[in-house]
Amino acid sequence: MSENRYYTIEQMEEATASLLENGKKVGADSWQQRAKNQSPHCGFGESGTCCRICSMGPCRITPKAPRGICGCDVHGIVARNYLRFTAGGSATHSDHGREICHTLHETREGGNYTVKDPEKLKRIAAEWGIEFEGKDIYDLAHEVAEVGLLEYGKPFGTQRFTKRAPEHTQKLWEEAEIMPRAIDREVSQSLHMTHMGCSSEPEALIRHSLRAGLSDGWGGSMMGTEFSDVLFGTPKPVDTTANIGVLEKDMVNIIVHGHDPSLSEMIVFYANDPEMIALAKSYGAKGINIAGVCCTANEVAMRHGIPMAGNFLSQENVVLTGVCEAIVVDVQCIFPALGPLSKCFHTKFITTSPIAQIPDSEFYRFSAETAGENAKAIVKMAVENFQNRNNDLICIPQQKTKATVGYSVEAIKTCLDGVTNSHVDTLGSTKPLVDVVKSGVLRGAVAMVGCNNPKVRPDTAHIELMKKLIANDIIVIVSGCSAQAAAKAGLLDKAAKELCGEGLKRVCELVDIPPVLHMGSCVDISRMMILASDIAKDWGINISQVPVVGCAPEWMSEKAVSIGNYVVATGIETFLGVDPYTKGSTEVTELLQGENGIKKWVEAKFVVETDMDKLCQKMIDCIEAKRAALGI
Ligand code: BF8
Ligand code: SF4
């Protein structure tokens, strides 16, 4: 196994090409081919100017037909589509958070799920005004879970976690009337507002997009993150490996893919069960190797050091190796293509959630009450499938990197405390970080997040942008598929400090961190919001003044749009490499990207730029402008 420190896009593309060749032997389809088949895309869809929310349509806006049958103009149609896109993402993240609340409600002493971070649970209880002194930890877990679940549908009031934001930010949200109320209400209202004959005024629709996004980032996603930490442990730095070479020829390979750690945690547990390992050996395997794809990979990597096989557009690659005994999925970002593809190999494609039911999969209903027996049955099935491999179809590109992952806010503060020896008895502070930014040793930070998208040469934008940013003394924090792009390229290795400018290199040496910090999965972008809030508070300035920007250069999902809305609404300028289907409306474009739209309400806006060199320069310029405004 070659363990290069770094891999270039070209090397990774070569690896993919060899896998596609392997697939050709068995007639496998691929996203590369399907993307060609779908090109060129529909111009109306791309610009957001097609409406099909009532059956008088679909209505498509052209110079000759400037209004739909109901009279809605292009701006109303584009804005309605944008709000629906946001609501889809907000619902999805938040429903993941809801599942985690239910899992928390299932915890019991000695049960399938236990409380791994009781201190964090108590901190949240205190924050929410729930009495915890002298209470049994499981009684407390159930009570907190119930209060969390009520955040989805409570009739009055706003999201509890919004109190974590600086007061200035909360005031902006109140004034703009975007303070998020019950999560389900914001999603439901999005559908109501966009129903035929309701809102067609772009400003109202964009305002509600921010609100629906905030109910995700400061509501559902934040609960997903916080309660996952309570259940499975708050991440701390841990070493792991990444890229397709983490699959092992002599072992049973089980891929976990999706988002909800309730499933993957159990699979990881049973893959370490001596009974299962003995069974694997009885079939001639050396053991059981678990690796992750997509956000689930981030979840299990940062809590158990499980290797990360790849990100969104690598999901077919793991099957194409011919050594994947099972690909076990829960929800979100799962290609239906895995059904027919797995049939070309011996791979078992196992779906587990009623929310994601996919043709040509084997459905094993997974539930919190029976999680242990479900997971054991799935691992057993994968092990028994080892004997069905076709040795002529084995192709594992020898690419594997080292990575250090798991920089939760708590972990970042602990690392910083290690340098200053301060705050040893508290949860730490971001002050040392603020000091190095103020002094100019670090210029600022970019939160790089999001998916892959065939519209952008996959992973190139993530990796090239990160390399340029760290060379310019800008630290990068990553999550989701962006994090795995970094991992595959070798940028999560502490050794990558050698690619940095002198300032960032010194910080990496002093704090003993990689220059690209892994903060987790996409729901964990809520961690980034907390970090930004804490920095602003420790610094004594507003979030919008901090030299930090957000970036999703290869995004594709509705979730990413919801994220974009809450990151911007939190006061962080957000740079997109793919247009969110809004270019058909000058009014909506101005609202989202101009100086007189959302920027007036929340002190930040979107920047859409599909040229990655320009996107990079715009981010650097934005960071430098914020520094100049602060006089640093
Ligand atoms: O939530 S980054 S492709 S895996 S949507 Fe999906 Fe995008 Fe990956 Fe996780 Ni996020
Ligand atoms: Fe056409 Fe209006 Fe119906 Fe949309 S709501 S499909 S624009 S008639």
Side-chain angles (χ1 to χ4, degrees):
M1 175 68 61
S2 81
E3 279 214 22
N4 278 15
R5 184 155 280 166
Y6 310 111
Y7 287 99
T8 62
I9 291 293
E10 288 73 19
Q11 287 170 312
M12 291 195 261
E13 283 177 347
E14 243 173 69
T16 297
S18 69
L19 289 165
L20 291 173
E21 278 305 309
N22 203 36
K24 270 191 196 156
K25 295 182 204 160
V26 284
D29 191 13
S30 66
W31 68 258
Q32 288 84 348
Q33 185 54 48
R34 294 190 299 274
K36 275 187 200 147
N37 298 349
Q38 285 295 337
S39 298
H41 292 285
C42 165
F44 295 99
E46 273 204 319
S47 52
T49 55
C50 171
C51 183
R52 49 177 292 283
I53 61 172
C54 92
S55 76
M56 292 192 285
C59 297
R60 301 182 304 177
I61 301 303
T62 64
K64 267 197 196 151
R67 288 182 184 268
I69 293 168
C70 66
C72 191
D73 68 9
V74 73
H75 310 296
I77 288 175
V78 169
R80 284 196 306 222
N81 286 338
Y82 182 81
L83 176 52
R84 286 205 162 201
F85 216 108
T86 306
S90 181
T92 304
H93 268 153
S94 296
D95 211 32
H96 165 172
R98 185 187 339 243
E99 293 288 323
I100 298 290
C101 290
H102 278 293
T103 306
L104 185 64
H105 202 265
E106 273 305 311
T107 52
R108 61 186 159 80
E109 188 76 52
N112 284 321
Y113 297 104
T114 57
V115 170
K116 294 251 171 61
D117 192 341
E119 292 312 312
K120 186 157 195 171
L121 178 63
K122 286 182 205 162
R123 284 204 301 277
I124 296 168
E127 209 182 324
W128 284 4
I130 299 169
E131 187 53 59
F132 61 88
E133 293 291 354
K135 215 173 256 177
D136 174 79
I137 199 71
Y138 288 98
D139 288 343
L140 182 64
H142 302 160
E143 197 176 335
V144 170
E146 273 183 41
V147 175
L149 285 164
L150 288 173
E151 288 298 283
Y152 286 84
K154 62 184 182 187
F156 307 106
T158 52
Q159 285 300 299
R160 289 168 179 267
F161 278 144
T162 55
K163 299 276 177 295
R164 292 176 165 190
E167 272 174 26
H168 173 77
T169 310
Q170 293 183 47
K171 195 162 155 268
L172 291 177
W173 293 343
E174 291 289 358
E175 283 169 5
E177 293 183 43
I178 56 171
M179 183 62 98
R181 301 159 297 179
I183 299 160
D184 290 348
R185 180 175 187 182
E186 303 308 2
V187 173
S188 217
Q189 185 172 318
S190 303
L191 296 182
H192 189 174
M193 284 180 84
T194 55
H195 188 275
M196 195 273 150
C198 284
S199 289
S200 50
E201 211 266 308
E203 188 184 308
L205 292 156
I206 298 303
R207 207 177 277 278
H208 195 71
S209 301
L210 297 184
R211 197 173 207 176
L214 284 170
S215 76
D216 166 4
W218 290 84
S221 272
M222 202 168 277
M223 286 197 280
T225 293
E226 295 293 73
F227 296 147
S228 291
D229 286 357
V230 169
L231 282 159
F232 309 120
T234 302
K236 299 187 190 88
V238 56
D239 291 338
T240 186
T241 50
N243 214 326
I244 193 73
V246 303
L247 272 77
E248 300 277 354
K249 182 166 179 280
D250 300 327
M251 298 184 67
V252 172
N253 291 293
I254 303 178
I255 299 293
V256 284
H257 174 13
H259 287 78
D260 184 344
S262 307
L263 169 73
S264 47
E265 284 279 330
M266 282 288 147
I267 300 285
V268 169
F269 181 83
Y270 282 98
N272 286 311
D273 180 359
E275 187 191 331
M276 288 297 122
I277 295 171
L279 186 69
K281 288 187 175 159
S282 76
Y283 281 103
K286 285 193 177 148
I288 304 173
N289 180 40
I290 305 274
V293 166
C294 281
C295 279
T296 277
N298 292 312
E299 298 280 358
V300 288
M302 66 185 174
R303 296 202 178 88
H304 303 283
I306 297 292
M308 299 190 277
N311 47 359
F312 180 61
L313 284 181
S314 325
Q315 60 184 287
E316 289 171 297
N317 286 10
V318 294
V319 177
L320 290 166
T321 60
V323 297
C324 174
E325 271 60 55
I327 182 160
V328 188
V329 305
D330 48 82
V331 290
Q332 304 169 21
C333 304
I334 302 148
F335 270 1
L338 292 177
L341 180 63
S342 63
K343 295 266 174 286
C344 296
F345 292 84
H346 75 303
T347 304
K348 288 200 180 283
F349 176 37
I350 300 169
T351 45
T352 59
S353 168
I355 293 166
Q357 302 184 53
I358 305 175
D360 293 320
S361 67
E362 288 181 41
F363 185 61
Y364 258 63
R365 194 178 185 129
F366 184 88
S367 67
E369 306 81 42
T370 53
E373 56 192 87
N374 300 147
K376 195 170 178 181
I378 291 169
V379 171
K380 186 163 182 271
M381 188 162 65
V383 169
E384 287 168 349
N385 195 27
F386 183 75
Q387 61 189 325
N388 297 323
R389 265 194 203 173
N390 178 346
N391 287 330
D392 297 334
L393 287 178
I394 295 178
C395 168
I396 311 176
Q398 302 292 293
Q399 295 185 352
K400 185 170 165 179
T401 55
K402 289 189 178 130
T404 305
V405 299
Y407 290 93
S408 56
V409 176
E410 291 87 336
I412 291 174
K413 288 181 179 175
T414 305
C415 291
L416 293 169
D417 275 356
V419 181
T420 58
N421 286 325
S422 63
H423 304 96
V424 274
D425 299 325
T426 69
L427 289 174
S429 121
T430 63
K431 282 194 175 127
L433 185 62
V434 171
D435 289 341
V436 288
V437 177
K438 272 188 191 166
S439 70
V441 174
L442 273 193
R443 306 304 295 172
V446 172
M448 187 93 73
V449 305
C451 331
N452 301 127
N453 187 325
K455 287 179 181 165
V456 181
R457 188 176 170 192
D459 292 336
T460 317
H462 290 299
I463 294 168
E464 294 309 318
L465 289 172
M466 284 177 207
K467 283 186 182 162
K468 281 188 194 151
L469 293 167
I470 62 175
N472 280 285
D473 290 326
I474 293 169
I475 195 166
V476 181
I477 53 176
V478 288
S479 71
C481 289
S482 183
Q484 287 146 22
K488 290 195 296 182
L491 301 177
L492 299 186
D493 188 339
K494 286 180 186 170
K497 67 182 179 211
E498 68 197 17
L499 307 177
C500 301
E502 281 309 310
L504 178 54
K505 188 174 172 193
R506 242 189 304 148
V507 172
C508 290
E509 275 165 1
L510 203 64
V511 192
D512 191 28
I513 50 169
V516 179
L517 287 182
H518 176 279
M519 287 194 84
S521 63
C522 283
V523 288
D524 293 334
I525 295 168
S526 62
R527 295 188 202 276
M528 297 177 177
M529 298 304 98
I530 303 292
L531 184 62
S533 296
D534 288 356
I535 289 172
K537 287 181 202 165
D538 286 341
W539 195 329
I541 58 176
N542 300 331
I543 293 179
S544 60
Q545 294 175 286
V546 179
V548 58
V549 302
C551 179
E554 304 183 21
W555 73 273
M556 63 84 203
S557 81
E558 292 173 319
K559 288 182 288 174
V561 177
S562 177
I563 292 167
N565 280 294
Y566 75 70
V567 173
V568 165
T570 301
I572 301 169
E573 212 92 325
T574 297
F575 293 74
L576 305 177
V578 179
D579 181 75
Y581 297 150
T582 52
K583 64 183 176 201
S585 162
T586 49
E587 277 182 35
V588 174
T589 302
E590 177 58 26
L591 276 165
L592 295 174
Q593 301 177 42
E595 293 301 318
N596 296 313
I598 58 174
K599 179 131 193 181
K600 283 247 158 86
W601 314 335
V602 293
E603 301 176 347
K605 61 178 168 56
F606 285 103
V607 176
V608 180
E609 176 55 72
T610 53
D611 178 320
M612 293 304 150
D613 287 332
K614 286 188 189 156
L615 185 79
C616 190
Q617 196 51 50
K618 285 182 180 177
M619 286 196 283
I620 295 173
D621 292 347
C622 181
I623 285 171
E624 290 301 331
K626 284 182 191 284
R627 296 188 62 90
L630 286 167
I632 54 171

